[in-house]
Amino acid sequence: LQLQINEKGTDKYVLIPVATIGCGKTTVALTLASLYGWGHVQNDDVSSKSGKFRTFSNRISQAFSEHDVVIVDRNNHQFRERQQLFEAMDLMADANGYDMHYIGLDFLPNGPAQKEWEVTLSRVMNRGDNHQTIRNMDRPAVEAIMKGFRGRYQPITVAKEPDSNFELVIDVNCARGSKDNVTAVVSALNDAYDMDLETKPEELNAAFSAALEHKAKIPVGTQPAQKRATWSFFCIRVDSKEMMQLLASNLQGNPFWQELQVSKGMSLKQEFHVTLAHKASEKTQFKALKTKYHKLLTGSKENGFVDLNVEEPVIVESICWNTRIMAAAVSLPGEHCSSNFHPHITVGMAKGVPPKEANAMMNNYDNRVEIKPVRLTGRLCAFR
Ligand code: GDP
Ligand code: MG
């Protein structure tokens, strides 16, 4: 079975374990994350009790802004939990123009049978206090928690919702051992998506040993409320699907554009915006915007982009690039202007090139294509 991969570079793969405690979710995830640089978000690292899922799903969104493959490390042992994840990630995909591929990791393909119970119990007892929440407990207390999960477990049932959302389910039977399970994930992804993931035995062994040695982040006392970052810039964001369509239709056969889709050494942006003012360089305008939108800014809780509820037109006029970076030149006929001499939307760059290099490139580009001006509706946002 060869699944369809789009050519726009918007594919996102999410690995969703379905498991109980001690199945090796974290060990498998750590190994894969270390081998391939994938994102790994651990529910057990979310220490807040209230808004726990919100925090978890914010961290997942954050991970997707940095990685194409993300492992969502929690048990997801009930339909309800899977449903909750699919819903949250569908929304995230819509907002960012991602094409999601939901991949189940079935740690209990035979259900929570006796053998699986013995393997997981003995692992969890050996793990001892090296866990965020299951610690300082005697054996009966640990067993009681584990039995709770075992009792509530609902096996993956792809014939119906919500599990019909899984595009692929990989057998990672916990009784088989986590190293073999890492290999099983890699070969299933290679088969299904042509991912070309390599595993050298010595690298796998090193990554797996490090995962077994891993020390959990133990929360100390009651944690202070998470410190929020300060605002770093204001921008107008455009819809990434519309922007991708515009680029694709104007850049057919363009070599830099083609490299952006296929080369591992290049990174195509997943999110498109025109920077208006940056804290570091356009201090006066930055402060003015901060003052103007003070109320909305102080009311917002999340990190990342915050929508300020103002629509602004963005007219895309040409596309410029050199050997390192590509950006679209725009004009802003609306209320807000950019303090950049050449307002632009960064499109993509060679890996390691800082996005701000687009400013210098726009001043002195090697190549430029004029396009029929396209008007997009953007939204004013602040970023922290
Ligand atoms: P999780 O609760 O599903 O995240 O399970 P963990 O990944 O934390 O694994 C539970 C414990 O078993 C940890 O102490 C791991 O180091 C250990 N462990 C995981 N996989 C294996 C394995 O294949 N062999 C052995 N011997 N220990 C493992
Ligand atoms: Mg774990």
Side-chain angles (χ1 to χ4, degrees):
L1 168 85
Q2 189 68 52
L3 294 159
Q4 205 65 40
I5 305 183
N6 72 35
E7 288 175 4
K8 294 174 291 172
T10 52
D11 285 293
K12 294 284 183 184
Y13 301 84
V14 54
L15 304 184
I16 304 177
V18 175
T20 53
I21 299 169
C23 279
K25 299 175 297 293
T26 303
T27 306
V28 169
L30 287 166
T31 310
L32 289 167
S34 134
L35 284 172
Y36 305 111
W38 293 345
H40 173 198
V41 186
Q42 276 200 69
N43 190 46
D44 283 325
D45 281 340
V46 181
S47 51
S48 60
K49 283 246 159 37
S50 69
K52 191 171 164 108
F53 183 72
R54 203 183 163 82
T55 307
F56 186 50
S57 75
N58 278 338
R59 289 187 191 177
I60 296 171
S61 298
Q62 180 64 34
F64 272 113
S65 69
E66 293 159 13
H67 306 274
D68 290 337
V69 185
V70 173
I71 309 152
V72 173
D73 184 350
R74 88 171 173 170
N75 284 307
N76 307 311
H77 64 309
Q78 292 186 280
F79 297 133
R80 185 177 54 84
E81 289 185 299
R82 268 114 72 187
Q83 178 74 37
Q84 184 189 38
L85 270 182
F86 291 132
E87 278 172 13
M89 287 192 281
D90 279 346
L91 282 176
M92 188 184 77
D94 276 352
N96 295 284
Y98 298 155
D99 293 295
M100 299 299 289
H101 300 273
Y102 296 120
I103 300 156
L105 302 183
D106 190 356
F107 281 88
L108 295 165
N110 309 319
Q114 188 57 27
K115 174 148 188 230
E116 284 75 0
W117 170 250
E118 283 161 16
V119 168
T120 54
L121 180 61
S122 108
R123 282 185 190 167
V124 173
M125 292 319 298
N126 282 332
R127 185 170 69 185
D129 284 349
N130 184 20
H131 189 267
Q132 298 93 327
T133 54
I134 301 179
R135 55 199 316 273
N136 298 329
M137 284 180 200
D138 57 12
R139 189 182 178 102
V142 173
E143 279 197 31
I145 294 179
M146 290 181 65
K147 278 185 181 148
F149 277 84
R150 197 168 181 242
R152 290 188 300 270
Y153 169 82
Q154 291 167 320
I156 297 182
T157 314
V158 287
K160 60 173 188 149
E161 281 271 309
D163 294 340
S164 49
N165 285 286
F166 284 123
E167 192 174 78
L168 174 71
V169 173
I170 306 176
D171 178 337
V172 285
N173 190 348
C174 64
R176 198 165 49 201
S178 299
K179 193 160 98 176
D180 286 348
N181 283 336
V182 169
T183 315
V185 172
V186 171
S187 55
L189 292 178
N190 277 340
D191 288 349
Y193 301 103
D194 234 359
M195 279 200 190
D196 270 343
L197 303 166
E198 278 183 56
T199 29
K200 300 206 178 80
E202 56 289 9
E203 285 173 10
L204 172 62
N205 288 340
F208 183 63
S209 307
L212 287 178
E213 294 295 311
H214 177 79
K215 297 282 167 276
K217 283 183 227 143
I218 310 294
V220 260
T222 41
Q223 295 224 308
Q226 238 199 353
K227 202 173 174 309
R228 282 198 291 277
T230 54
W231 300 105
S232 60
F233 62 87
F234 288 89
C235 64
I236 299 174
R237 285 184 98 186
V238 296
D239 182 80
S240 33
K241 272 204 181 120
E242 282 180 30
M243 187 66 194
M244 283 298 292
Q245 269 161 17
L246 182 162
L247 292 166
S249 60
N250 284 285
L251 289 171
Q252 268 179 33
N254 176 301
F256 195 100
W257 174 247
Q258 279 174 345
E259 282 287 297
L260 279 173
Q261 329 281 314
V262 298
S263 163
K264 289 203 173 115
M266 304 284 284
S267 69
L268 175 65
K269 299 275 285 184
Q270 306 281 334
E271 177 280 324
F272 298 101
H273 65 260
V274 190
T275 300
L276 299 179
H278 206 285
K279 175 171 73 176
S281 44
E282 296 96 22
K283 294 196 173 65
T284 321
Q285 193 182 347
F286 180 82
K287 272 197 182 146
L289 283 162
K290 228 171 105 175
T291 311
K292 180 160 182 191
Y293 293 100
H294 174 75
K295 263 220 175 105
L296 281 169
L297 293 170
T298 48
S300 87
K301 298 220 163 19
E302 264 102 79
N303 286 339
F305 285 98
V306 173
D307 190 303
L308 299 173
N309 223 1
V310 178
E311 284 194 350
E312 283 281 316
V314 174
I315 299 178
V316 184
E317 294 172 338
S318 69
I319 301 165
C320 307
W321 69 100
N322 59 18
T323 54
R324 294 163 59 84
I325 192 161
M326 175 180 264
V330 303
S331 62
L332 301 174
E335 182 197 343
H336 293 90
C337 61
S338 169
S339 41
N340 281 326
F341 192 62
H342 298 290
H344 60 271
I345 297 175
T346 303
V347 173
M349 64 285 272
K351 288 224 165 105
V353 172
K356 68 166 192 237
E357 214 181 283
N359 281 305
M361 184 274 292
M362 294 298 289
N363 238 338
N364 188 16
Y365 46 79
D366 295 341
N367 305 285
R368 175 160 180 267
V369 279
E370 201 76 53
I371 66 171
K372 190 167 148 280
V374 181
R375 188 187 174 97
L376 302 175
T377 305
R379 297 185 66 83
L380 182 67
C381 290
F383 183 87
R384 66 171 154 210

